[in-house]
Amino acid sequence: MAIRFDGRVAIVTGAGNGLGRAHALGLASRGAKVVVNDFGGARDGTGGSLTPAEAVVEEIRKAGGTAMADGADVSKFGQVTAMVERATREWGSVDLLCANAGILRDKSFGKMDVADFAKVLDVHLVGTFYCCKAVWEGMRERNYGRIVLTTSSSGLFGNFGQANYGAAKAGMVGLMNVLAEEGRKNNIRVNTISPTAATRMTEELLPPQALALMKPEAITPAVEYLLSEDAPTRTIMGAGAGSFAVIKIIETEGI
Ligand code: ADP
């Protein structure tokens, strides 16, 4: 049966572009009310045009869905809690979280300074901690939560120039492993997805022929599965265009 999210409220971070945008559109098309988060401002700087998050909300509304834009910077805990409070006030709960916001500061390790390292950890790892933290108590109280963290093969196997990004993404897998266990008894399921898709993050890394095949939308069904009622927990899923593979599923007794 097709996955539906009617009555569910989702937050997708970094949803102004790329993967996050595709996931927000997908979840909304399946009935979720979606908080489209992105801290990015209007690109042309005129002040008159929509932010990327607002533009995605427009797309969702035109397609008949329900969404609100939120400009929280995920690396600022106060902004993240305000976003969750706003969603809860408007729509009653936050049931689904897709932590997808991210930045790159690639440099060979010899050239990478402490600020390059700390900044990337701040957005990906600390920011993901903040998002999970902000939704956690509500999910526990309601005995329902589905969380998916966007990680990367860089965090599992490493990539040149990505000591910061790889460390952050590996840290997110570590966070998922613990949250999956601690959430188990409250029906909170936590997973990671490690996507390969054509986004601003990968356009300089992959050849054009490969990028043409790797639309972000191709990853969305795997994310929808990991946010569904029947989601597994504690899975590291690798997803490329047109296919996805479970790299590792760890099932242990709840603690
Ligand atoms: P990908 O689609 O591969 O995740 P993108 O660069 O296309 O890569 O999208 C990442 C999104 O995350 C961007 O739209 C960016 O504005 C957003 N983002 C980056 N840092 C933050 C942050 N601190 N808070 C909220 N959104 C962020």
Side-chain angles (χ1 to χ4, degrees):
M1 219 175 74
I3 292 172
R4 295 290 309 175
F5 297 103
D6 303 285
R8 300 283 181 211
V9 176
I11 291 180
V12 184
T13 69
N17 292 285
L19 290 164
R21 171 182 165 275
H23 303 337
L25 288 163
L27 292 171
S29 76
R30 293 180 183 277
K33 298 187 181 90
V34 182
V35 178
V36 179
N37 160 264
D38 203 295
F39 79 159
R43 289 243 182 79
D44 61 5
T46 60
S49 57
L50 300 176
T51 65
E54 288 165 350
V56 173
V57 167
E58 284 292 292
E59 279 185 84
I60 290 174
R61 288 191 181 145
K62 275 194 191 127
T66 306
M68 67 164 95
D70 190 285
D73 175 342
V74 297
S75 66
K76 304 274 183 334
F77 190 49
Q79 295 186 24
V80 173
T81 52
M83 167 172 71
V84 172
E85 279 163 15
R86 193 174 144 226
T88 309
R89 207 167 46 240
E90 299 267 326
W91 291 335
S93 61
V94 176
D95 313 295
L96 320 172
L97 168 67
C98 174
N100 178 78
I103 55 164
L104 290 178
R105 293 273 190 285
D106 288 11
K107 281 179 193 169
S108 62
F109 192 59
K111 296 201 173 111
M112 187 175 288
D113 62 23
V114 174
D116 296 324
F117 189 76
K119 181 72 197 164
V120 170
L121 260 82
D122 227 31
V123 174
H124 290 271
L125 183 54
V126 181
T128 298
F129 168 80
Y130 287 159
C131 292
C132 293
K133 183 88 191 146
V135 298
W136 194 255
E137 275 317 303
M139 287 180 173
R140 273 169 51 93
E141 276 163 23
R142 287 184 299 276
N143 223 44
Y144 193 90
R146 299 287 182 264
I147 297 176
V148 63
L149 312 181
T150 303
T151 57
S152 166
S153 58
S154 191
L156 300 173
F157 311 116
N159 260 343
F160 275 84
Q162 297 195 324
N164 49 7
Y165 183 75
K169 291 306 193 187
M172 287 168 70
V173 173
L175 183 64
M176 177 279 286
N177 276 318
V178 175
L179 297 191
E181 290 308 326
E182 293 198 4
R184 205 181 273 272
K185 61 183 178 303
N186 291 102
N187 191 21
I188 304 172
R189 301 185 193 170
V190 192
N191 297 287
T192 65
I193 187 148
S194 177
T196 303
T199 67
R200 292 188 305 173
M201 272 196 200
T202 50
E203 66 193 2
E204 285 164 24
L205 304 174
L206 297 169
Q209 307 91 299
L211 290 172
L213 296 171
M214 295 177 169
K215 302 278 179 246
E217 296 75 32
I219 308 300
T220 299
V223 169
E224 289 169 347
Y225 168 60
L226 295 178
L227 290 174
S228 70
E229 197 91 23
D230 298 327
T233 196
R234 210 173 171 191
T235 302
I236 300 170
M237 185 174 281
S243 68
F244 57 91
V246 174
I247 297 174
K248 188 161 75 171
I249 295 184
I250 315 148
E251 285 293 344
T252 58
E253 283 304 303
I255 48 170

